[in-house]
Amino acid sequence: MKHLTIPLTVLSVALTGCTQYAPECGDEETTNLVKQIADREMTNQLGHGSQGIFTYTVNAIRTQSTNKETGAHTCAAQLGITATTNGVTNELPITYTVEVADNGEEFYVNVFGL
């Protein structure tokens, strides 16, 4: 069984919309952004030829803390990475934050551990 090693990096993506509070850790918008960030990082590390050969799942989602003043969440989860070529899945622990921009119209997801 081959293992995939991914160095520690931090990535973030902003999503625009009309929100005053950060979405929850397990919210579909949040987990979709986590998967997009993971895919972008995988493509950056392995090259554009690797684009689309992995699928991602965000499992065992836990809210570690919520900032009462800002509504930002600190989250932990298991990121499942499956190679579509052979069906092999690896999981790695990640943490991520979800926070609202000062304008209240965007939120940011920062992923750690990719």
Side-chain angles (χ1 to χ4, degrees):
M1 177 187 296
K2 293 184 180 182
H3 292 284
L4 185 61
T5 303
I6 304 172
L8 178 67
T9 56
V10 177
L11 294 172
S12 65
V13 170
L15 183 69
T16 59
C18 295
T19 181
Q20 294 295 342
Y21 303 99
E24 299 292 327
C25 292
D27 186 88
E28 186 175 356
E29 287 181 302
T30 303
T31 58
N32 284 342
L33 282 173
V34 170
K35 292 184 236 180
Q36 288 174 18
I37 292 167
D39 190 49
R40 185 174 65 196
E41 179 60 17
M42 187 69 74
T43 300
N44 286 341
Q45 290 183 28
L46 301 178
H48 288 289
S50 67
Q51 197 168 20
I53 64 171
F54 297 101
T55 59
Y56 306 91
T57 57
V58 182
N59 305 307
I61 300 166
R62 293 144 351 251
T63 301
Q64 295 183 316
S65 65
T66 299
N67 183 313
K68 302 295 183 202
E69 284 185 30
T70 66
H73 306 291
T74 301
C75 316
Q78 290 295 114
L79 179 68
I81 304 170
T82 303
T84 57
T85 55
N86 60 13
V88 173
T89 299
N90 286 308
E91 281 196 339
L92 74 133
I94 60 169
T95 58
Y96 54 99
T97 59
V98 187
E99 57 190 336
V100 175
D102 287 347
N103 66 12
E105 295 179 9
E106 300 174 314
F107 70 93
Y108 287 80
V109 174
N110 297 297
V111 180
F112 307 89
L114 295 176

